[in-house]
Amino acid sequence: MNLNERSVAPLQARLVSVPHHRSAKVTSAPEPPVSSTQSRSSSSWTVASNLLVSFRYAWTGITYAYKTQRNFRIHTVIGTLAIGLGFFLHLSSVKLAVIGLTIGAVMAMELLNTAIESVVDLTVGQSYHELAKVAKDCAAGAVLIFALAALLVATVLLLPPLLVQLGLITAGVSS
């Protein structure tokens, strides 16, 4: 499919009226299509010209998720606390790496969930479709499963040394 101004305009018109997430409020309309005379460097419809531009697009996605997705902000706060607690408890580098990778995976899953929900909203508009519900629910379920796995990792790696630090158990527990 070849995207041009005529084929993109109807899609953008639908984007204006479609919330990006069940709980997100649309705060601004997307930019209009870029004409051939305008610079395409800031257009999301073009391929990134270099690595720096690719990183900027990725950061824009992360920023969008942070600003619009409550759960992404919750994961950010909890992840920061977990890493901070790991440093405070002097966990080994390997344990800190496992915690960091787990946090990163949960946040990546949340970004994928947001992307899937946005694409589903773009596709079905404001109408209800059972398969759209299935796609959104499955994406949310994937995040939930990984968040529960992250909770297990945090419990196994952080709880024993924390209990030792608080004096609730003896120091015989490995840290």
Side-chain angles (χ1 to χ4, degrees):
M1 172 191 252
N2 186 10
L3 291 179
N4 58 38
E5 286 184 34
R6 284 189 204 131
S7 65
V8 171
L11 294 174
Q12 283 196 315
R14 287 177 65 187
L15 272 174
V16 173
S17 63
V18 177
H20 295 290
H21 188 274
R22 293 179 204 170
S23 63
K25 304 231 182 330
V26 177
T27 56
S28 64
E31 295 179 13
V34 176
S35 71
S36 58
T37 59
Q38 292 176 316
S39 168
R40 291 188 166 271
S41 64
S42 64
S43 173
S44 63
W45 300 103
T46 60
V47 176
S49 58
N50 61 46
L51 190 59
L52 184 61
V53 173
S54 295
F55 284 138
R56 189 171 57 216
Y57 286 153
W59 185 251
T60 299
I62 293 167
T63 302
Y64 172 83
Y66 188 84
K67 288 179 179 178
T68 64
Q69 306 301 311
R70 179 197 62 209
N71 289 347
F72 191 83
R73 290 189 300 272
I74 291 170
H75 294 311
T76 302
V77 169
I78 292 173
T80 302
L81 291 173
I83 289 291
L85 185 59
F87 278 112
F88 173 75
L89 295 171
H90 304 288
L91 293 184
S92 69
S93 300
V94 172
K95 290 181 180 182
L96 284 172
V98 169
I99 291 170
L101 287 171
T102 304
I103 292 164
V106 170
M107 294 177 78
M109 291 293 291
E110 191 66 52
L111 287 167
L112 288 172
N113 180 43
T114 300
I116 288 169
E117 288 191 348
S118 295
V119 170
V120 168
D121 288 344
L122 173 66
T123 305
V124 300
Q126 293 183 341
S127 62
Y128 176 83
H129 194 286
E130 187 62 30
L131 290 177
K133 180 185 182 326
V134 169
K136 287 182 168 192
D137 291 348
C138 287
V143 176
L144 177 62
I145 287 172
F146 217 103
L148 291 173
L151 183 62
L152 176 66
V153 168
T155 301
V156 169
L157 295 180
L158 292 172
L159 192 59
L162 180 62
L163 294 175
V164 168
Q165 186 74 23
L166 295 173
L168 299 174
I169 60 173
T170 59
V173 177
S174 66
S175 54

